[in-house]
Amino acid sequence: MPKIVSSSTVSSSEQTNGRPEQHLHVYYCLCSEFILVIDAKLDRLPRRKTDNAYIISNGKRIYKLNAIEPSNNPIVLKRPQGHEKQYRLHCPRCNLFIAYEVTPKRKSGAFTYIVEGSLTDNQGVVPADAIDEDDNKKTDQS
């Protein structure tokens, strides 16, 4: 009988090669669907001034974004500097708006933007920034 040789490799975000910045960080949608694995913590990424979204530099960061594009039609928003086209990305399970780009083809632009409060690093736990406290105060006082 011929010899059968097999091997396997186990990978974990807990494994490091001595440098903590080489960790992979996993993020989930509020519905617990796996959405993002990236080489940096979201809270360490720069933020966009217009909407406080996390900025992922497509040239610098290594990441995998599990999201769908419900349509290839952009949403046009009025900004103080003019208009902005957003190609929105949604959770494949619950269709929550989680990210956007300003170019029609994924990762073809300089940045991908992650919407504040749309992801959590603890599966099944809603992050504190997912709920806008100012909106709740306005409705309580009405």
Side-chain angles (χ1 to χ4, degrees):
M1 288 201 111
K3 259 189 189 178
I4 298 175
V5 178
S6 67
S7 66
S8 63
T9 303
V10 176
S11 178
S12 168
S13 61
E14 300 300 319
Q15 295 176 343
T16 65
N17 293 334
R19 293 180 20 203
E21 61 271 11
Q22 291 181 338
H23 283 234
L24 292 178
H25 303 277
V26 179
Y27 294 91
Y28 304 91
C29 177
L30 302 181
C31 73
S32 298
E33 179 75 9
F34 161 76
I35 297 294
L36 175 68
V37 62
I38 188 168
D39 63 349
K41 285 189 163 198
L42 280 183
D43 60 3
R44 299 245 174 142
L45 295 178
R47 297 287 197 104
R48 193 167 188 209
K49 290 180 183 170
T50 55
D51 58 4
N52 214 26
Y54 297 102
I55 302 171
I56 299 176
S57 177
N58 289 330
K60 272 182 143 179
R61 294 279 163 220
I62 298 170
Y63 68 97
K64 167 77 169 126
L65 183 63
N66 177 30
I68 59 169
E69 300 169 50
S71 73
N72 203 22
N73 299 327
I75 302 295
V76 179
L77 299 175
K78 188 174 181 180
R79 298 281 193 203
Q81 300 83 12
H83 291 82
E84 173 183 89
K85 284 184 182 179
Q86 287 185 357
Y87 294 87
R88 294 188 167 187
L89 304 169
H90 296 255
C91 172
R93 180 190 285 173
C94 71
N95 206 31
L96 178 70
F97 169 43
I98 54 168
Y100 63 92
E101 296 195 10
V102 294
T103 57
K105 188 177 176 201
R106 274 209 205 171
K107 293 188 177 183
S108 64
F111 306 108
T112 298
Y113 303 97
I114 304 295
V115 176
E116 179 184 33
S118 65
L119 300 181
T120 179
D121 57 351
N122 292 323
Q123 192 173 20
V125 177
V126 178
D129 62 353
I131 300 170
D132 189 359
E133 294 294 328
D134 292 337
D135 286 345
N136 288 339
K137 289 177 186 173
K138 288 176 190 172
T139 57
D140 290 343
Q141 294 172 356
S142 302

